[in-house]
Amino acid sequence: MTELARQGSKFVPVGISARHVHLSQGDIAALFGPGYELTPLKPLVQPGQYAAREQLTLVGPKGELGKVRILGPARAETQIELSFTDAMKLGIKNCPIRMSGDLAGTPGLKLVGPRGELTVTQGVIVAQRHLHLSGPQAQAYGVHDKQVVSVRVTGARPCLLEGVVCRVGEGHELEIHIDTDEANACALQNGDLLELVFPGQSEGPPLPGPLPQRRRLHLRPSFRPGARPRSPR
């Protein structure tokens, strides 16, 4: 993909993020017991990250979601990533769209594990759609860290996904992350290729000719809205 990007064909694979939890080491101990270590189940595309065998139940103001996967390794602060559909089921209103790690002022919920439970006061977000790239990949695609781009979706439900934030650096690998709501709306599956579009670039073929002008309705001065029309003489 990187070599194709150098030649001008800039496509990126999509990774669909289902609801998941990142835990701090202290919260792992509270939920699974002192000294507990997460058990890697499956490596993720992003270097060093994995889906763990361990799962939790999320409890919100109006509902709960069971068997929510934990992603490892442990982080400095616990973070819960949901779709808007998930947030609605839990009863979390106005769940903010944030980049990972930007947790100030976000809502919290209860986490239930096999050895304990705890309530976090913040950390629940809907993840901002974002694009991971290593340094060499970013150079090939012509983007930089924190740059905002768009991606074009083709297929059964073509559309343009805007507001994609680039995350560039060591520990990143080429992949755009969207949540399950976005993927379902666009009829996308993991690994589908989306075309990178820069802001200001044409977003599609031009419309065929100018749009027709709306006809203006001219009313007689004697006409009053709501008045009963006179019968013709």
Side-chain angles (χ1 to χ4, degrees), residues 152-177:
R152 182 181 289 116
V153 179
T154 58
R157 286 185 166 179
C159 65
L160 190 76
L161 296 177
E162 301 178 294
V164 180
V165 180
C166 294
R167 300 188 61 189
V168 177
E170 187 177 351
H172 295 276
E173 179 60 34
L174 185 66
E175 189 178 47
I176 178 172
H177 284 179

mmCIF file of all heavy atoms in Angstrom, residues 152-177:
data_model
loop_
_atom_site.group_PDB
_atom_site.id
_atom_site.type_symbol
_atom_site.label_atom_id
_atom_site.label_comp_id
_atom_site.label_asym_id
_atom_site.label_seq_id
_atom_site.Cartn_x
_atom_site.Cartn_y
_atom_site.Cartn_z
ATOM 1 N N ARG A 152 -12.943 8.454 0.922
ATOM 2 C CA ARG A 152 -14.090 8.188 0.071
ATOM 3 C C ARG A 152 -14.456 6.708 0.118
ATOM 4 O O ARG A 152 -13.594 5.847 -0.064
ATOM 5 C CB ARG A 152 -13.805 8.618 -1.365
ATOM 6 C CG ARG A 152 -14.988 8.407 -2.305
ATOM 7 C CD ARG A 152 -14.666 8.807 -3.725
ATOM 8 N NE ARG A 152 -14.542 10.246 -3.869
ATOM 9 C CZ ARG A 152 -13.420 10.867 -4.220
ATOM 10 N NH1 ARG A 152 -12.325 10.181 -4.468
ATOM 11 N NH2 ARG A 152 -13.387 12.173 -4.332
ATOM 12 N N VAL A 153 -15.730 6.441 0.361
ATOM 13 C CA VAL A 153 -16.252 5.075 0.402
ATOM 14 C C VAL A 153 -16.956 4.798 -0.922
ATOM 15 O O VAL A 153 -17.780 5.596 -1.379
ATOM 16 C CB VAL A 153 -17.253 4.896 1.564
ATOM 17 C CG1 VAL A 153 -17.813 3.475 1.577
ATOM 18 C CG2 VAL A 153 -16.596 5.230 2.893
ATOM 19 N N THR A 154 -16.631 3.674 -1.538
ATOM 20 C CA THR A 154 -17.335 3.250 -2.742
ATOM 21 C C THR A 154 -18.122 1.980 -2.410
ATOM 22 O O THR A 154 -18.096 1.505 -1.279
ATOM 23 C CB THR A 154 -16.352 2.981 -3.884
ATOM 24 O OG1 THR A 154 -15.409 1.981 -3.473
ATOM 25 C CG2 THR A 154 -15.596 4.245 -4.265
ATOM 26 N N GLY A 155 -18.825 1.444 -3.385
ATOM 27 C CA GLY A 155 -19.570 0.215 -3.148
ATOM 28 C C GLY A 155 -21.059 0.455 -3.030
ATOM 29 O O GLY A 155 -21.611 1.369 -3.650
ATOM 30 N N ALA A 156 -21.725 -0.350 -2.210
ATOM 31 C CA ALA A 156 -23.182 -0.307 -2.118
ATOM 32 C C ALA A 156 -23.692 1.002 -1.532
ATOM 33 O O ALA A 156 -24.780 1.458 -1.865
ATOM 34 C CB ALA A 156 -23.684 -1.484 -1.278
ATOM 35 N N ARG A 157 -22.919 1.604 -0.625
ATOM 36 C CA ARG A 157 -23.333 2.862 0.001
ATOM 37 C C ARG A 157 -22.202 3.879 -0.082
ATOM 38 O O ARG A 157 -21.539 4.167 0.910
ATOM 39 C CB ARG A 157 -23.726 2.626 1.459
ATOM 40 C CG ARG A 157 -25.071 1.940 1.622
ATOM 41 C CD ARG A 157 -25.452 1.836 3.073
ATOM 42 N NE ARG A 157 -26.859 1.499 3.222
ATOM 43 C CZ ARG A 157 -27.456 1.323 4.403
ATOM 44 N NH1 ARG A 157 -26.761 1.470 5.519
ATOM 45 N NH2 ARG A 157 -28.734 1.020 4.460
ATOM 46 N N PRO A 158 -21.972 4.424 -1.251
ATOM 47 C CA PRO A 158 -20.865 5.377 -1.413
ATOM 48 C C PRO A 158 -21.105 6.653 -0.611
ATOM 49 O O PRO A 158 -22.230 7.141 -0.519
ATOM 50 C CB PRO A 158 -20.853 5.653 -2.918
ATOM 51 C CG PRO A 158 -22.244 5.332 -3.378
ATOM 52 C CD PRO A 158 -22.720 4.225 -2.500
ATOM 53 N N CYS A 159 -20.040 7.161 -0.023
ATOM 54 C CA CYS A 159 -20.151 8.398 0.741
ATOM 55 C C CYS A 159 -18.748 8.930 1.009
ATOM 56 O O CYS A 159 -17.748 8.314 0.631
ATOM 57 C CB CYS A 159 -20.899 8.181 2.055
ATOM 58 S SG CYS A 159 -20.035 7.104 3.201
ATOM 59 N N LEU A 160 -18.680 10.073 1.669
ATOM 60 C CA LEU A 160 -17.408 10.670 2.055
ATOM 61 C C LEU A 160 -17.388 10.781 3.571
ATOM 62 O O LEU A 160 -18.293 11.365 4.170
ATOM 63 C CB LEU A 160 -17.244 12.050 1.418
ATOM 64 C CG LEU A 160 -15.853 12.673 1.553
ATOM 65 C CD1 LEU A 160 -14.884 12.015 0.573
ATOM 66 C CD2 LEU A 160 -15.914 14.173 1.314
ATOM 67 N N LEU A 161 -16.380 10.210 4.200
ATOM 68 C CA LEU A 161 -16.196 10.330 5.644
ATOM 69 C C LEU A 161 -15.172 11.427 5.905
ATOM 70 O O LEU A 161 -13.997 11.292 5.546
ATOM 71 C CB LEU A 161 -15.719 9.001 6.242
ATOM 72 C CG LEU A 161 -16.689 7.824 6.146
ATOM 73 C CD1 LEU A 161 -16.046 6.565 6.719
ATOM 74 C CD2 LEU A 161 -17.991 8.133 6.867
ATOM 75 N N GLU A 162 -15.632 12.490 6.512
ATOM 76 C CA GLU A 162 -14.766 13.644 6.773
ATOM 77 C C GLU A 162 -14.298 13.634 8.223
ATOM 78 O O GLU A 162 -14.716 12.821 9.030
ATOM 79 C CB GLU A 162 -15.528 14.932 6.459
ATOM 80 C CG GLU A 162 -16.016 15.014 5.021
ATOM 81 C CD GLU A 162 -16.819 16.271 4.748
ATOM 82 O OE1 GLU A 162 -17.917 16.402 5.322
ATOM 83 O OE2 GLU A 162 -16.342 17.104 3.965
ATOM 84 N N GLY A 163 -13.429 14.567 8.553
ATOM 85 C CA GLY A 163 -12.979 14.714 9.933
ATOM 86 C C GLY A 163 -12.143 13.559 10.437
ATOM 87 O O GLY A 163 -12.212 13.204 11.616
ATOM 88 N N VAL A 164 -11.324 12.963 9.561
ATOM 89 C CA VAL A 164 -10.452 11.855 9.947
ATOM 90 C C VAL A 164 -9.112 12.439 10.410
ATOM 91 O O VAL A 164 -8.421 13.107 9.644
ATOM 92 C CB VAL A 164 -10.228 10.890 8.773
ATOM 93 C CG1 VAL A 164 -9.317 9.738 9.189
ATOM 94 C CG2 VAL A 164 -11.557 10.370 8.244
ATOM 95 N N VAL A 165 -8.749 12.187 11.653
ATOM 96 C CA VAL A 165 -7.528 12.752 12.236
ATOM 97 C C VAL A 165 -6.372 11.771 12.046
ATOM 98 O O VAL A 165 -6.476 10.592 12.414
ATOM 99 C CB VAL A 165 -7.713 13.056 13.730
ATOM 100 C CG1 VAL A 165 -6.431 13.650 14.321
ATOM 101 C CG2 VAL A 165 -8.884 14.006 13.937
ATOM 102 N N CYS A 166 -5.273 12.252 11.488
ATOM 103 C CA CYS A 166 -4.098 11.409 11.285
ATOM 104 C C CYS A 166 -3.294 11.282 12.580
ATOM 105 O O CYS A 166 -3.024 12.284 13.255
ATOM 106 C CB CYS A 166 -3.198 11.993 10.194
ATOM 107 S SG CYS A 166 -3.933 12.008 8.554
ATOM 108 N N ARG A 167 -2.932 10.060 12.906
ATOM 109 C CA ARG A 167 -2.065 9.775 14.056
ATOM 110 C C ARG A 167 -0.802 9.138 13.510
ATOM 111 O O ARG A 167 -0.828 8.009 13.012
ATOM 112 C CB ARG A 167 -2.765 8.866 15.050
ATOM 113 C CG ARG A 167 -4.045 9.457 15.617
ATOM 114 C CD ARG A 167 -4.585 8.603 16.744
ATOM 115 N NE ARG A 167 -3.619 8.524 17.833
ATOM 116 C CZ ARG A 167 -3.750 7.692 18.877
ATOM 117 N NH1 ARG A 167 -4.783 6.874 18.943
ATOM 118 N NH2 ARG A 167 -2.833 7.679 19.825
ATOM 119 N N VAL A 168 0.299 9.881 13.605
ATOM 120 C CA VAL A 168 1.540 9.485 12.941
ATOM 121 C C VAL A 168 2.641 9.287 13.969
ATOM 122 O O VAL A 168 2.768 10.068 14.912
ATOM 123 C CB VAL A 168 1.972 10.561 11.920
ATOM 124 C CG1 VAL A 168 3.305 10.196 11.279
ATOM 125 C CG2 VAL A 168 0.894 10.748 10.858
ATOM 126 N N GLY A 169 3.443 8.244 13.775
ATOM 127 C CA GLY A 169 4.607 8.056 14.623
ATOM 128 C C GLY A 169 4.929 6.599 14.865
ATOM 129 O O GLY A 169 4.283 5.686 14.331
ATOM 130 N N GLU A 170 5.931 6.380 15.687
ATOM 131 C CA GLU A 170 6.323 5.028 16.052
ATOM 132 C C GLU A 170 5.189 4.365 16.834
ATOM 133 O O GLU A 170 4.542 4.990 17.666
ATOM 134 C CB GLU A 170 7.589 5.087 16.907
ATOM 135 C CG GLU A 170 8.194 3.738 17.214
ATOM 136 C CD GLU A 170 9.481 3.862 17.998
ATOM 137 O OE1 GLU A 170 9.972 5.003 18.152
ATOM 138 O OE2 GLU A 170 9.982 2.825 18.474
ATOM 139 N N GLY A 171 4.930 3.109 16.552
ATOM 140 C CA GLY A 171 3.835 2.417 17.219
ATOM 141 C C GLY A 171 2.525 2.510 16.470
ATOM 142 O O GLY A 171 1.496 2.065 16.978
ATOM 143 N N HIS A 172 2.547 3.094 15.264
ATOM 144 C CA HIS A 172 1.343 3.173 14.441
ATOM 145 C C HIS A 172 1.566 2.394 13.150
ATOM 146 O O HIS A 172 2.675 2.337 12.613
ATOM 147 C CB HIS A 172 1.003 4.630 14.117
ATOM 148 C CG HIS A 172 0.632 5.442 15.313
ATOM 149 N ND1 HIS A 172 -0.630 5.467 15.843
ATOM 150 C CD2 HIS A 172 1.382 6.263 16.104
ATOM 151 C CE1 HIS A 172 -0.656 6.270 16.901
ATOM 152 N NE2 HIS A 172 0.558 6.756 17.078
ATOM 153 N N GLU A 173 0.482 1.817 12.632
ATOM 154 C CA GLU A 173 0.523 1.059 11.379
ATOM 155 C C GLU A 173 -0.705 1.422 10.554
ATOM 156 O O GLU A 173 -1.787 1.646 11.094
ATOM 157 C CB GLU A 173 0.548 -0.444 11.662
ATOM 158 C CG GLU A 173 0.574 -1.330 10.440
ATOM 159 C CD GLU A 173 1.796 -1.101 9.548
ATOM 160 O OE1 GLU A 173 2.881 -0.794 10.099
ATOM 161 O OE2 GLU A 173 1.668 -1.238 8.311
ATOM 162 N N LEU A 174 -0.545 1.469 9.238
ATOM 163 C CA LEU A 174 -1.571 1.971 8.333
ATOM 164 C C LEU A 174 -2.925 1.298 8.545
ATOM 165 O O LEU A 174 -3.092 0.109 8.295
ATOM 166 C CB LEU A 174 -1.115 1.772 6.886
ATOM 167 C CG LEU A 174 -2.033 2.359 5.813
ATOM 168 C CD1 LEU A 174 -2.060 3.883 5.891
ATOM 169 C CD2 LEU A 174 -1.568 1.914 4.422
ATOM 170 N N GLU A 175 -3.887 2.087 8.996
ATOM 171 C CA GLU A 175 -5.252 1.590 9.203
ATOM 172 C C GLU A 175 -6.130 2.749 9.651
ATOM 173 O O GLU A 175 -5.744 3.521 10.529
ATOM 174 C CB GLU A 175 -5.273 0.492 10.275
ATOM 175 C CG GLU A 175 -6.601 -0.223 10.409
ATOM 176 C CD GLU A 175 -6.545 -1.335 11.438
ATOM 177 O OE1 GLU A 175 -6.019 -1.107 12.559
ATOM 178 O OE2 GLU A 175 -7.022 -2.453 11.127
ATOM 179 N N ILE A 176 -7.323 2.861 9.059
ATOM 180 C CA ILE A 176 -8.285 3.861 9.516
ATOM 181 C C ILE A 176 -9.277 3.167 10.445
ATOM 182 O O ILE A 176 -9.757 2.075 10.157
ATOM 183 C CB ILE A 176 -9.021 4.537 8.336
ATOM 184 C CG1 ILE A 176 -10.049 5.540 8.880
ATOM 185 C CG2 ILE A 176 -9.667 3.546 7.402
ATOM 186 C CD1 ILE A 176 -10.696 6.390 7.816
ATOM 187 N N HIS A 177 -9.556 3.792 11.582
ATOM 188 C CA HIS A 177 -10.463 3.218 12.564
ATOM 189 C C HIS A 177 -11.791 3.961 12.568
ATOM 190 O O HIS A 177 -11.832 5.194 12.725
ATOM 191 C CB HIS A 177 -9.840 3.292 13.968
ATOM 192 C CG HIS A 177 -8.775 2.262 14.193
ATOM 193 N ND1 HIS A 177 -8.071 2.158 15.366
ATOM 194 C CD2 HIS A 177 -8.311 1.276 13.374
ATOM 195 C CE1 HIS A 177 -7.210 1.153 15.275
ATOM 196 N NE2 HIS A 177 -7.329 0.618 14.072
#
